[in-house]
Amino acid sequence: MRTIRTGIIGGGFIGTQHIEALRRLGWVEVRAIAESQLDRAQANAAHFNIQRAYGSYAELLADPEIDAIHNCTPNALHYTINRAALEAGKHVISEKPLAMNSEETASLVQIARQSGRLAAVNFNHRGYPMVQQVRAMIGAGHIGKVQLIHGSYLQDWLLYPTDWNWRLDPSVGGASRAVADIGSHWADLLQHVTGQRIVRVFADLRTVLPQRKRPVVATRTYSPTAQDAATEDVTITTEDYASVIFESEQGAHGVFSVSQVSAGHKNRLSFEINGSNASVSWDANAPNDLWLGYRDKANELLTKDPSLLMLPAAAYSHLPGGHAEGWPDALKNVFASMYAAIQEGRTAPQPTDAFAIFQDGHRSALLVDAIRESARRGAWVDVQQWERGM
């Protein structure tokens, strides 16, 4: 197995998580890191023992020894870097959202098709073993016809008016926040496990805190503003909360809520799927357990054990029963799936793969468009009518 040499663009919270997950694969070498300031790139390179540090993404893309790049920058830079990387002949793994709007994502889909390179977007929740168990069970018909889908993705890191992050600035984070940032994860995950795309939506969006206090000195993601820090008042236009009623292409109905201002919920994605024969639910705060509900027999709790999982799901569980696997393991699993495709010369996933590609990122952008339009109009909106560039 040949070693694939990769570069990280962006060394913040998610960039460092990418580095750690990639190093667990064993056959991927993190060869370089690029940041907007050379001294920060050099500091991260020294900390992680990375061979090369660059003060711009363009310098990294010009390195002929780099096979693939991970785009871990703020949202506003995703389109420019993703496009430049593909045009430079690199495989691309981009953080979501793929770009700031669906016009940009449609363009990236076309560029990716012409590039002959793997163009993936990181919906990392797909990599949990028990998520893949749900997918395998639904695919095998174990719960019957999928009829109802419901759940939420709740956080509290923006609960206080003094909480601040670049995602609150629409010029950097985009016109949608809670939906595009975490709602996209929930919607992608449920479409992935059910095999059904969301085609109609009715949405309610709310900005719970229309005024916030931005620190004069920038803070890192998930870092609270110090009590004595100097701040300035800022008007917020993106949503803190959303609830979305939806219909799938095969007639399943559902609803999900997302919030970044729900006290006590640090990072809780959960869902329940009700089928014609049984129900199944999963909670990212207890990722090794799967609840199975029945009408005519006792309910069950399936705890992760590769010997008890269906074969497609067991491939994502690397520790024996009783040994928990969590968020870093799911991220590693998704990257392993992506890099296996690169090794094999593929640009799209096989049925048992967990990774998403640029087409999935484009569909996510179209869904966000439809949700925002529905909230504006107070009416059902057909997601399919927004499709372009597919």
Side-chain angles (χ1 to χ4, degrees), residues 240-262:
D240 294 308
Y241 159 85
S243 277
V244 181
I245 304 171
F246 64 88
E247 182 180 353
S248 81
E249 60 189 332
Q250 295 182 27
H253 288 255
V255 60
F256 69 92
S257 296
V258 295
S259 168
Q260 294 175 322
V261 292
S262 294

PDB file of all heavy atoms in Angstrom, residues 240-262:
ATOM      1  N   ASP A 240     -30.367  31.260  15.357  1.00  0.00           N
ATOM      2  CA  ASP A 240     -29.874  30.454  16.477  1.00  0.00           C
ATOM      3  C   ASP A 240     -30.601  29.108  16.542  1.00  0.00           C
ATOM      4  O   ASP A 240     -30.091  28.146  17.121  1.00  0.00           O
ATOM      5  CB  ASP A 240     -30.114  31.169  17.810  1.00  0.00           C
ATOM      6  CG  ASP A 240     -29.310  32.450  17.954  1.00  0.00           C
ATOM      7  OD1 ASP A 240     -28.086  32.404  17.762  1.00  0.00           O
ATOM      8  OD2 ASP A 240     -29.916  33.501  18.269  1.00  0.00           O
ATOM      9  N   TYR A 241     -31.809  29.073  15.983  1.00  0.00           N
ATOM     10  CA  TYR A 241     -32.709  27.918  16.144  1.00  0.00           C
ATOM     11  C   TYR A 241     -33.504  27.708  14.861  1.00  0.00           C
ATOM     12  O   TYR A 241     -33.837  28.660  14.144  1.00  0.00           O
ATOM     13  CB  TYR A 241     -33.671  28.179  17.309  1.00  0.00           C
ATOM     14  CG  TYR A 241     -34.936  27.352  17.280  1.00  0.00           C
ATOM     15  CD1 TYR A 241     -34.950  26.057  17.817  1.00  0.00           C
ATOM     16  CD2 TYR A 241     -36.106  27.859  16.710  1.00  0.00           C
ATOM     17  CE1 TYR A 241     -36.117  25.303  17.771  1.00  0.00           C
ATOM     18  CE2 TYR A 241     -37.266  27.099  16.667  1.00  0.00           C
ATOM     19  CZ  TYR A 241     -37.264  25.820  17.197  1.00  0.00           C
ATOM     20  OH  TYR A 241     -38.401  25.054  17.150  1.00  0.00           O
ATOM     21  N   ALA A 242     -33.841  26.468  14.588  1.00  0.00           N
ATOM     22  CA  ALA A 242     -34.732  26.153  13.460  1.00  0.00           C
ATOM     23  C   ALA A 242     -35.471  24.857  13.736  1.00  0.00           C
ATOM     24  O   ALA A 242     -34.935  23.940  14.363  1.00  0.00           O
ATOM     25  CB  ALA A 242     -33.940  26.012  12.164  1.00  0.00           C
ATOM     26  N   SER A 243     -36.713  24.786  13.273  1.00  0.00           N
ATOM     27  CA  SER A 243     -37.462  23.539  13.203  1.00  0.00           C
ATOM     28  C   SER A 243     -37.920  23.361  11.774  1.00  0.00           C
ATOM     29  O   SER A 243     -38.406  24.313  11.143  1.00  0.00           O
ATOM     30  CB  SER A 243     -38.663  23.537  14.145  1.00  0.00           C
ATOM     31  OG  SER A 243     -38.275  23.171  15.456  1.00  0.00           O
ATOM     32  N   VAL A 244     -37.757  22.143  11.252  1.00  0.00           N
ATOM     33  CA  VAL A 244     -38.055  21.874   9.847  1.00  0.00           C
ATOM     34  C   VAL A 244     -38.924  20.622   9.734  1.00  0.00           C
ATOM     35  O   VAL A 244     -38.525  19.535  10.177  1.00  0.00           O
ATOM     36  CB  VAL A 244     -36.755  21.668   9.036  1.00  0.00           C
ATOM     37  CG1 VAL A 244     -37.082  21.417   7.562  1.00  0.00           C
ATOM     38  CG2 VAL A 244     -35.819  22.869   9.192  1.00  0.00           C
ATOM     39  N   ILE A 245     -40.117  20.770   9.190  1.00  0.00           N
ATOM     40  CA  ILE A 245     -40.953  19.632   8.816  1.00  0.00           C
ATOM     41  C   ILE A 245     -40.559  19.249   7.393  1.00  0.00           C
ATOM     42  O   ILE A 245     -40.308  20.126   6.558  1.00  0.00           O
ATOM     43  CB  ILE A 245     -42.446  19.998   8.886  1.00  0.00           C
ATOM     44  CG1 ILE A 245     -42.812  20.529  10.272  1.00  0.00           C
ATOM     45  CG2 ILE A 245     -43.320  18.799   8.524  1.00  0.00           C
ATOM     46  CD1 ILE A 245     -44.221  21.107  10.338  1.00  0.00           C
ATOM     47  N   PHE A 246     -40.493  17.950   7.107  1.00  0.00           N
ATOM     48  CA  PHE A 246     -40.048  17.558   5.774  1.00  0.00           C
ATOM     49  C   PHE A 246     -40.739  16.293   5.288  1.00  0.00           C
ATOM     50  O   PHE A 246     -41.357  15.554   6.063  1.00  0.00           O
ATOM     51  CB  PHE A 246     -38.528  17.366   5.740  1.00  0.00           C
ATOM     52  CG  PHE A 246     -38.025  16.244   6.615  1.00  0.00           C
ATOM     53  CD1 PHE A 246     -37.948  14.936   6.144  1.00  0.00           C
ATOM     54  CD2 PHE A 246     -37.607  16.496   7.924  1.00  0.00           C
ATOM     55  CE1 PHE A 246     -37.483  13.906   6.943  1.00  0.00           C
ATOM     56  CE2 PHE A 246     -37.136  15.479   8.735  1.00  0.00           C
ATOM     57  CZ  PHE A 246     -37.075  14.177   8.250  1.00  0.00           C
ATOM     58  N   GLU A 247     -40.597  16.052   3.982  1.00  0.00           N
ATOM     59  CA  GLU A 247     -41.087  14.829   3.344  1.00  0.00           C
ATOM     60  C   GLU A 247     -39.959  14.264   2.491  1.00  0.00           C
ATOM     61  O   GLU A 247     -39.233  15.021   1.826  1.00  0.00           O
ATOM     62  CB  GLU A 247     -42.300  15.119   2.469  1.00  0.00           C
ATOM     63  CG  GLU A 247     -42.887  13.881   1.801  1.00  0.00           C
ATOM     64  CD  GLU A 247     -44.100  14.203   0.943  1.00  0.00           C
ATOM     65  OE1 GLU A 247     -44.574  15.361   0.974  1.00  0.00           O
ATOM     66  OE2 GLU A 247     -44.567  13.293   0.222  1.00  0.00           O
ATOM     67  N   SER A 248     -39.809  12.941   2.510  1.00  0.00           N
ATOM     68  CA  SER A 248     -38.761  12.307   1.715  1.00  0.00           C
ATOM     69  C   SER A 248     -39.305  11.896   0.354  1.00  0.00           C
ATOM     70  O   SER A 248     -40.521  11.883   0.128  1.00  0.00           O
ATOM     71  CB  SER A 248     -38.195  11.082   2.430  1.00  0.00           C
ATOM     72  OG  SER A 248     -39.043   9.958   2.233  1.00  0.00           O
ATOM     73  N   GLU A 249     -38.406  11.514  -0.545  1.00  0.00           N
ATOM     74  CA  GLU A 249     -38.798  11.141  -1.899  1.00  0.00           C
ATOM     75  C   GLU A 249     -39.650   9.877  -1.946  1.00  0.00           C
ATOM     76  O   GLU A 249     -40.367   9.653  -2.922  1.00  0.00           O
ATOM     77  CB  GLU A 249     -37.545  10.958  -2.760  1.00  0.00           C
ATOM     78  CG  GLU A 249     -36.596   9.870  -2.263  1.00  0.00           C
ATOM     79  CD  GLU A 249     -35.278   9.873  -3.020  1.00  0.00           C
ATOM     80  OE1 GLU A 249     -35.272  10.290  -4.192  1.00  0.00           O
ATOM     81  OE2 GLU A 249     -34.256   9.467  -2.442  1.00  0.00           O
ATOM     82  N   GLN A 250     -39.584   9.060  -0.885  1.00  0.00           N
ATOM     83  CA  GLN A 250     -40.391   7.836  -0.842  1.00  0.00           C
ATOM     84  C   GLN A 250     -41.595   7.965   0.087  1.00  0.00           C
ATOM     85  O   GLN A 250     -42.213   6.975   0.464  1.00  0.00           O
ATOM     86  CB  GLN A 250     -39.522   6.643  -0.440  1.00  0.00           C
ATOM     87  CG  GLN A 250     -38.449   6.316  -1.469  1.00  0.00           C
ATOM     88  CD  GLN A 250     -37.623   5.109  -1.097  1.00  0.00           C
ATOM     89  OE1 GLN A 250     -38.080   4.207  -0.384  1.00  0.00           O
ATOM     90  NE2 GLN A 250     -36.384   5.058  -1.552  1.00  0.00           N
ATOM     91  N   GLY A 251     -41.911   9.203   0.464  1.00  0.00           N
ATOM     92  CA  GLY A 251     -43.130   9.448   1.214  1.00  0.00           C
ATOM     93  C   GLY A 251     -43.011   9.420   2.720  1.00  0.00           C
ATOM     94  O   GLY A 251     -44.019   9.569   3.425  1.00  0.00           O
ATOM     95  N   ALA A 252     -41.819   9.234   3.262  1.00  0.00           N
ATOM     96  CA  ALA A 252     -41.652   9.314   4.716  1.00  0.00           C
ATOM     97  C   ALA A 252     -41.789  10.772   5.141  1.00  0.00           C
ATOM     98  O   ALA A 252     -41.387  11.688   4.411  1.00  0.00           O
ATOM     99  CB  ALA A 252     -40.287   8.766   5.121  1.00  0.00           C
ATOM    100  N   HIS A 253     -42.341  10.983   6.328  1.00  0.00           N
ATOM    101  CA  HIS A 253     -42.513  12.336   6.855  1.00  0.00           C
ATOM    102  C   HIS A 253     -41.699  12.479   8.135  1.00  0.00           C
ATOM    103  O   HIS A 253     -41.461  11.502   8.849  1.00  0.00           O
ATOM    104  CB  HIS A 253     -43.990  12.621   7.135  1.00  0.00           C
ATOM    105  CG  HIS A 253     -44.795  12.797   5.887  1.00  0.00           C
ATOM    106  ND1 HIS A 253     -45.229  14.016   5.451  1.00  0.00           N
ATOM    107  CD2 HIS A 253     -45.217  11.894   4.967  1.00  0.00           C
ATOM    108  CE1 HIS A 253     -45.896  13.873   4.315  1.00  0.00           C
ATOM    109  NE2 HIS A 253     -45.905  12.583   4.003  1.00  0.00           N
ATOM    110  N   GLY A 254     -41.279  13.714   8.409  1.00  0.00           N
ATOM    111  CA  GLY A 254     -40.460  13.902   9.598  1.00  0.00           C
ATOM    112  C   GLY A 254     -40.328  15.349  10.012  1.00  0.00           C
ATOM    113  O   GLY A 254     -40.859  16.263   9.361  1.00  0.00           O
ATOM    114  N   VAL A 255     -39.580  15.541  11.101  1.00  0.00           N
ATOM    115  CA  VAL A 255     -39.316  16.870  11.625  1.00  0.00           C
ATOM    116  C   VAL A 255     -38.011  16.833  12.410  1.00  0.00           C
ATOM    117  O   VAL A 255     -37.699  15.841  13.060  1.00  0.00           O
ATOM    118  CB  VAL A 255     -40.482  17.361  12.529  1.00  0.00           C
ATOM    119  CG1 VAL A 255     -40.682  16.418  13.715  1.00  0.00           C
ATOM    120  CG2 VAL A 255     -40.236  18.790  13.010  1.00  0.00           C
ATOM    121  N   PHE A 256     -37.222  17.910  12.292  1.00  0.00           N
ATOM    122  CA  PHE A 256     -36.032  18.012  13.122  1.00  0.00           C
ATOM    123  C   PHE A 256     -35.860  19.453  13.580  1.00  0.00           C
ATOM    124  O   PHE A 256     -36.321  20.389  12.923  1.00  0.00           O
ATOM    125  CB  PHE A 256     -34.774  17.514  12.402  1.00  0.00           C
ATOM    126  CG  PHE A 256     -34.299  18.367  11.249  1.00  0.00           C
ATOM    127  CD1 PHE A 256     -33.361  19.373  11.445  1.00  0.00           C
ATOM    128  CD2 PHE A 256     -34.761  18.138   9.959  1.00  0.00           C
ATOM    129  CE1 PHE A 256     -32.908  20.148  10.380  1.00  0.00           C
ATOM    130  CE2 PHE A 256     -34.307  18.902   8.886  1.00  0.00           C
ATOM    131  CZ  PHE A 256     -33.385  19.913   9.099  1.00  0.00           C
ATOM    132  N   SER A 257     -35.226  19.599  14.745  1.00  0.00           N
ATOM    133  CA  SER A 257     -34.908  20.909  15.298  1.00  0.00           C
ATOM    134  C   SER A 257     -33.413  21.025  15.503  1.00  0.00           C
ATOM    135  O   SER A 257     -32.741  20.045  15.851  1.00  0.00           O
ATOM    136  CB  SER A 257     -35.618  21.117  16.645  1.00  0.00           C
ATOM    137  OG  SER A 257     -37.018  21.116  16.490  1.00  0.00           O
ATOM    138  N   VAL A 258     -32.890  22.219  15.289  1.00  0.00           N
ATOM    139  CA  VAL A 258     -31.479  22.495  15.564  1.00  0.00           C
ATOM    140  C   VAL A 258     -31.400  23.768  16.394  1.00  0.00           C
ATOM    141  O   VAL A 258     -32.206  24.680  16.236  1.00  0.00           O
ATOM    142  CB  VAL A 258     -30.651  22.646  14.274  1.00  0.00           C
ATOM    143  CG1 VAL A 258     -30.602  21.343  13.506  1.00  0.00           C
ATOM    144  CG2 VAL A 258     -31.180  23.764  13.393  1.00  0.00           C
ATOM    145  N   SER A 259     -30.437  23.795  17.298  1.00  0.00           N
ATOM    146  CA  SER A 259     -30.275  24.952  18.171  1.00  0.00           C
ATOM    147  C   SER A 259     -28.826  25.053  18.629  1.00  0.00           C
ATOM    148  O   SER A 259     -28.185  24.039  18.892  1.00  0.00           O
ATOM    149  CB  SER A 259     -31.184  24.829  19.400  1.00  0.00           C
ATOM    150  OG  SER A 259     -30.838  25.797  20.382  1.00  0.00           O
ATOM    151  N   GLN A 260     -28.335  26.269  18.721  1.00  0.00           N
ATOM    152  CA  GLN A 260     -27.019  26.522  19.300  1.00  0.00           C
ATOM    153  C   GLN A 260     -27.141  27.301  20.610  1.00  0.00           C
ATOM    154  O   GLN A 260     -26.154  27.803  21.133  1.00  0.00           O
ATOM    155  CB  GLN A 260     -26.155  27.283  18.286  1.00  0.00           C
ATOM    156  CG  GLN A 260     -25.850  26.436  17.052  1.00  0.00           C
ATOM    157  CD  GLN A 260     -25.100  27.168  15.967  1.00  0.00           C
ATOM    158  OE1 GLN A 260     -25.348  28.347  15.711  1.00  0.00           O
ATOM    159  NE2 GLN A 260     -24.175  26.485  15.312  1.00  0.00           N
ATOM    160  N   VAL A 261     -28.387  27.336  21.156  1.00  0.00           N
ATOM    161  CA  VAL A 261     -28.638  28.086  22.391  1.00  0.00           C
ATOM    162  C   VAL A 261     -29.456  27.260  23.379  1.00  0.00           C
ATOM    163  O   VAL A 261     -30.266  27.798  24.144  1.00  0.00           O
ATOM    164  CB  VAL A 261     -29.345  29.440  22.091  1.00  0.00           C
ATOM    165  CG1 VAL A 261     -28.414  30.375  21.340  1.00  0.00           C
ATOM    166  CG2 VAL A 261     -30.639  29.216  21.286  1.00  0.00           C
ATOM    167  N   SER A 262     -29.257  25.945  23.405  1.00  0.00           N
ATOM    168  CA  SER A 262     -30.015  25.050  24.295  1.00  0.00           C
ATOM    169  C   SER A 262     -29.116  24.609  25.448  1.00  0.00           C
ATOM    170  O   SER A 262     -28.275  23.710  25.291  1.00  0.00           O
ATOM    171  CB  SER A 262     -30.534  23.837  23.520  1.00  0.00           C
ATOM    172  OG  SER A 262     -31.493  24.235  22.568  1.00  0.00           O
TER     173      SER A 262
END
